[in-house]
Each structure stands twice: as structure tokens, then as C-alpha cells.
Amino acid sequence: MQNLKPVDEALADILKRVTPKASEKISLSNALDRTLAEPVIALTSQPPFNGSAMDGYALNSTDGQSGTKLKNIGIAAAGSPFTRPLQSGECARIYTGGELPEGTDSVIMQEKVTVDGDIVTLNDDVQEGQNVRWKGNDFAKDQTIVSPGKCLNPFDLSLIAAAGHPDVNVYQKPRVHLLATGDELVQPGQPLEPGQIYASNGFGLTPLFEQAGATVKDFGVAIDEQDKLETKLREALDDEPEILVTTGGASVGDKDYMLPALKAIGAKLDFWRIAVRPGKPLMFGKLGKTLIFGLPGNPVSALVTATVFVQPALRAFLGQNPEASLITLPLSAELPKNGPRQFYRRARLVKDNGLLSVDPIAQTDSAHLSSMSQCDGFIVQVPLADAQESGSLIQFLPLPWAMR
């Protein structure tokens, strides 16, 4: 469409403005869902010694023929190694996690021997390395075990701890400030006067950005008067957050003051109006160090554009790959032809005999929050895409909670 910026160009322009945050060292116990800023190098090998994977007897495999009788000369338990080297004809009782004594290279399970006092008779052949976890089998000392840009999950934390690290270097969290506009907005719990509605955008945007790794501060609602809006904008920008997200006042109505208010306080707008559906009147610019996203006020438009445009910027601030994680799935119902804007169409995931498909939601109203609550993500329809039949493959942008 004329004068509307394509989605890909808008995203590229946004990401050019982002520089990853500085790093900070934090305790490993506080690092869940934080993004790694530096590679984690193993301080030790794992396991740090040749260890037993079974309860049994450690021996040298050259003595490992069925029927061989060996003398048990000691015990090797986890944390209590047997320190005397073993000779041919000898074995040692060993427990799971115990270090193999010098001179041994295998373990026979306790169920496969006969014990008479200190004499152990093998009831099965033993191969070199049998039931042994070799030193460094998991990872070696000085090996990179987790790379920068990884959002740390519980398994990562366990791995990093096993490598000897009590803390990690992660990117600092970007700060996001929120400001809504609209004379009609009332906080939930307050009585509604004629013509008023409850303010809902902040309650969706705050956790959306927090899940992406940001800290969020909500500056509430500004009324539809330009001078008062300018005051609230200055307040929200005072400590230079990485991102300011406004909702409402982004269109061209008589009460839409966001554009002139931003210009009045010195913000430089890179673009306004994108070839996207929903959310065409999105604004993007900068004031000082702060990126400014002026999102539409309609709840669906605000949530969709926050997902499509703001979240990639947050990922870039955190040193992550900013690209959306699209997946290819078949349709479970016909998809209508698209218009001239890239359409992020609400859809549900459907599982049939273990196979996933995508069911388009017919509702397209940009204020219809019930359909957002029901959707698992968005079908990405490029401009002027033809209608597609059931079974056709489409690009789907899943929401994180839908994949749990």
C-alpha cells in the first residue's frame, strides 16, 4: 500500500537502532531465564575421573573371562576412592559413581558374579570399558559448554554448575516503560461511567515483555490533552529506559495527540504507518537513548504489534537472535485470500493423532480480546497471498505459552 512501510523493512530499521546491553555477573541460582553474555568454559572435566556406572566389581579386562576367580582387595565408593593400584588377579568392590582404581578399566555388575568371602568368580565375560563412564565423557576441561545468546533454562544451570561455575555473566535486562492514553480508560475495579472501558493493555504488555527478559514499569494512563500527554511522556522518559511503549493516540483522529506530542518533546520518528494487519498506525522513533514504539490503542493491535515489533528489539538488546521462530504447519481449515498488508491472523493449534495443524480463527476485529485469549499464535499471511485450502502448509508464529 502507498506510504505504508513493509514489515520486513520496519523490523530491519528497528534492529539497526539496537545495541546489546552490557553484561553483569550474577549468581547461578538467580540466572534462570537470563541471557548468557559470555561463553561458559568448563573448569573441570565431567566426570573428572573414570567412574563406575554400576554397582559391581572393578577389574582389568585382561582378567575378564567368564569363570575367572579374582581376589577382592578393597572398596571404591563415591567420594571415597580406593587408592592402591590393582594387580592382575585382583578386583575391588565399587559402587555407582565411584572412581575406578588404578589398574582397572571395566566394571562387572554385581548380579553377574558369585562371591565367596574375598573371592569373586565372574559369571560373564567382561569387555574393556564395560559399565565405565570415562573421564570427560560429558565434557572436557576448557571446553565451551554454553554459548552466548542462550536464554538459560534449568538444564543449562545444572550443566554450568557441574562445570564448576557458581555465577555467570548475563546481559543486563532492558527496561521498558509503558504509557497508555485515552479519556475513556478506567483501571479495573473502578466503576464505569458512560462511554468508559477498562484499561487492559498494560496487563497484557507487562508480562509479555517480562517473559521476553525485560523489566517493566507502567506509567498508567494519560488523558487526551497534548500538554498533559507531553508531561507524562517526559516523566516516562526521564531516566532513559531502553524502550518506551505507548498505546493509543497513534492514528489521525482529532483526539490522537501522540504524534504531535512526541515531536513536541524532541522525539525523532523513523516511520509511522506499517503495512501490517492489525496495527497499521504503529509509530517508531527515538529520543536520546530510548527507542519509542507508539502502538495502536485497540487491545489486539497493541498485543500483536508488541509481539511482532517490540519483542525482536528486546531479543536484540539481550544478545539473542531477534528473528521470530516461525514454524511450518498444515492448515486444518480454509484460509481466505489476504489483502495488501501482512496479516498476523489469530489461530489455534489442533492435535489429531499426534499431528499438529493450525485452525484459523475467523474473528478479525482488532478489539476482540476473547479471540486473543483463545489463540495459540498467528498465521503469517504475506500481502496479497492467495486463499489456501485445508492441508496447505503455512508459516505460524507460536506464542511461548502455547507450546508448553
Side-chain angles (χ1 to χ4, degrees):
M1 292 179 70
Q2 188 176 8
N3 299 324
L4 296 187
K5 198 173 191 70
V7 169
D8 290 347
E9 289 184 17
L11 279 170
D13 286 349
I14 290 168
L15 295 176
K16 283 190 295 189
R17 293 283 201 171
V18 178
T19 300
K21 292 276 290 176
S23 66
E24 60 181 345
K25 182 174 285 189
I26 65 171
S27 167
L28 192 60
S29 61
N30 295 323
L32 180 64
D33 293 331
R34 297 297 297 271
T35 302
L36 195 63
E38 297 179 3
V40 177
I41 309 298
L43 301 178
T44 182
S45 296
Q46 177 65 11
F49 49 78
N50 298 331
S52 177
M54 295 286 180
D55 291 341
Y57 292 84
L59 66 150
N60 193 292
S61 56
T62 57
D63 290 331
Q65 297 76 37
S66 179
T68 299
K69 295 182 184 297
L70 302 174
K71 184 178 180 181
N72 178 17
I73 63 167
I75 298 174
S80 299
F82 181 71
T83 56
R84 203 202 90 179
L86 269 66
Q87 307 298 320
S88 179
E90 295 178 334
C91 66
R93 183 77 165 110
I94 195 167
Y95 298 103
T96 302
E99 182 176 357
L100 266 68
E102 184 180 345
T104 68
D105 63 7
S106 54
V107 174
I108 186 169
M109 295 171 60
Q110 60 188 15
E111 294 87 351
K112 295 187 176 182
V113 300
T114 301
V115 180
D116 183 9
D118 61 357
I119 301 301
V120 177
T121 303
L122 309 185
N123 297 331
D124 201 356
D125 290 337
V126 178
Q127 305 298 318
E128 181 180 358
Q130 183 173 309
N131 299 320
V132 173
R133 296 188 178 110
W134 296 110
K135 178 180 179 178
N137 177 63
D138 190 348
F139 54 80
K141 183 181 179 182
D142 298 325
Q143 178 183 337
T144 297
I145 55 169
V146 190
S147 297
K150 181 73 182 295
C151 184
L152 298 173
N153 62 48
F155 297 170
D156 297 322
L157 302 183
S158 182
L159 172 63
I160 294 168
H165 290 275
D167 43 42
V168 286
N169 283 302
V170 297
Y171 286 102
Q172 295 175 9
K173 291 187 173 188
R175 295 168 300 139
V176 177
H177 289 179
L178 301 180
L179 177 63
T181 66
D183 293 340
E184 77 280 13
L185 299 179
V186 177
Q187 292 299 324
Q190 301 299 313
L192 285 179
E193 300 295 334
Q196 292 182 328
I197 61 172
Y198 287 121
S200 63
N201 286 340
F203 293 94
L205 295 176
T206 294
L208 186 70
F209 298 147
E210 288 177 340
Q211 284 186 340
T215 59
V216 182
K217 183 176 181 180
D218 193 338
F219 283 76
V221 178
I223 64 174
D224 289 325
E225 294 181 19
Q226 184 171 330
D227 57 343
K228 290 184 172 57
L229 177 55
E230 290 174 20
T231 299
K232 290 288 286 187
L233 285 168
R234 289 191 179 96
E235 180 186 350
L237 290 162
D238 182 58
D239 61 350
E240 295 189 299
E242 279 66 44
I243 291 177
L244 169 66
V245 174
T246 67
T247 58
S251 193
V252 292
D254 292 340
K255 302 282 267 182
D256 289 321
Y257 294 114
M258 186 58 69
L259 182 61
L262 286 170
K263 289 182 176 180
I265 66 171
K268 305 298 182 184
L269 292 185
D270 287 11
F271 55 81
W272 172 50
R273 295 162 60 88
I274 298 177
V276 66
R277 180 183 178 197
K280 178 177 69 174
L282 183 143
M283 292 180 281
F284 173 74
K286 191 173 184 181
L287 179 60
K289 298 178 181 179
T290 303
L291 302 185
I292 300 173
F293 292 83
L295 308 186
N298 279 329
V300 173
S301 298
L303 292 169
V304 171
T305 51
T307 301
V308 175
F309 297 103
V310 184
Q311 283 196 316
L314 290 174
R315 290 193 289 268
F317 273 118
L318 289 166
Q320 300 174 7
N321 180 359
E323 293 184 7
S325 298
L326 298 175
I327 56 177
T328 302
L329 290 172
L331 285 166
S332 65
E334 183 178 345
L335 190 65
K337 184 177 179 178
N338 190 26
R341 289 181 280 159
Q342 185 151 305
F343 190 7
Y344 289 83
R345 183 185 291 272
R346 285 152 266 182
R348 305 179 188 87
L349 288 172
V350 178
K351 184 177 287 189
D352 185 18
N353 293 323
L355 298 177
L356 278 178
S357 61
V358 178
D359 181 29
I361 292 175
Q363 181 58 248
T364 60
D365 188 334
S366 61
H368 198 276
L369 270 174
S370 297
S371 58
M372 287 292 282
S373 177
Q374 297 163 10
C375 86
D376 297 311
F378 309 110
I379 296 170
V380 182
Q381 278 187 285
V382 298
L384 304 176
D386 291 334
Q388 292 178 272
E389 297 178 351
S390 177
S392 299
L393 295 178
I394 51 88
Q395 293 293 296
F396 182 69
L397 176 59
L399 296 167
W401 49 90
M403 304 305 289
R404 292 174 182 167

